[in-house]
Amino acid sequence: MSLAPVRFRDPLSTPDDFTGSVLVHCPRCDRIARVQALADAEEGTRGALFAPRRLVCRACGHARTWRGRSAVFSGSSRAVARDPYFRLPLWLQTETRHGRLWAYDLAQLTLLRRFVAASLRERDPWDEHGRKMTYVARLPAWVKSAKNRNEVLRAVDRMRASVTDR
């Protein structure tokens, strides 16, 4: 008797959907800090890509505000991943023998884990209307490969433990 395959259905989220809250290394004490989108009373842009951001470290009390007009996203799987606003290194990142694995927050890390652990991965057909270049579609081929599943899942679990153990 074989087990039924674990099914994953692409929720059609993009990398931008995870920028509302980003976990980074504090520039002062190098512990975990959070970059959070602020509610702007004038524009009503809470959670939008260019909404003002606030960096807060609970360990040392360091705080900064970002009100820029451009965000720079990480592009390489070899370089250190950074948050798009303050350009600080992401907390949730680790190196594997195939490349660097990273996530902005625990929600993105959970989605990555669900995708990698699934033996049956479903997406909308290309002729359907909707988003095509989702977060899952943009993952590198080595992350999607079944032969790397155990290594990627161990890396994801290490990243999650770095947040929950503190």
Side-chain angles (χ1 to χ4, degrees), residues 38-59:
L38 296 176
D40 194 350
E42 297 171 10
E43 300 175 47
T45 57
R46 180 171 174 75
L49 188 59
F50 298 110
R53 309 285 169 172
R54 182 86 172 152
L55 167 71
V56 177
C57 175
R58 287 186 168 182

Side-chain angles (χ1 to χ4, degrees), residues 12-78:
L12 303 179
S13 54
T14 64
D16 302 344
D17 295 340
F18 301 104
T19 60
S21 175
V22 180
L23 302 176
V24 297
H25 284 268
C26 175
R28 185 183 293 167
C29 69
D30 201 41
R31 300 205 39 205
I32 191 168
R34 180 181 301 274
V35 175
Q36 187 80 32
L38 296 176
D40 194 350
E42 297 171 10
E43 300 175 47
T45 57
R46 180 171 174 75
L49 188 59
F50 298 110
R53 309 285 169 172
R54 182 86 172 152
L55 167 71
V56 177
C57 175
R58 287 186 168 182
C60 68
H62 183 67
R64 267 197 255 171
T65 303
W66 176 88
R67 294 189 187 278
R69 293 284 178 214
S70 66
V72 180
F73 290 90
S74 299
S76 171
S77 66
R78 292 288 178 194

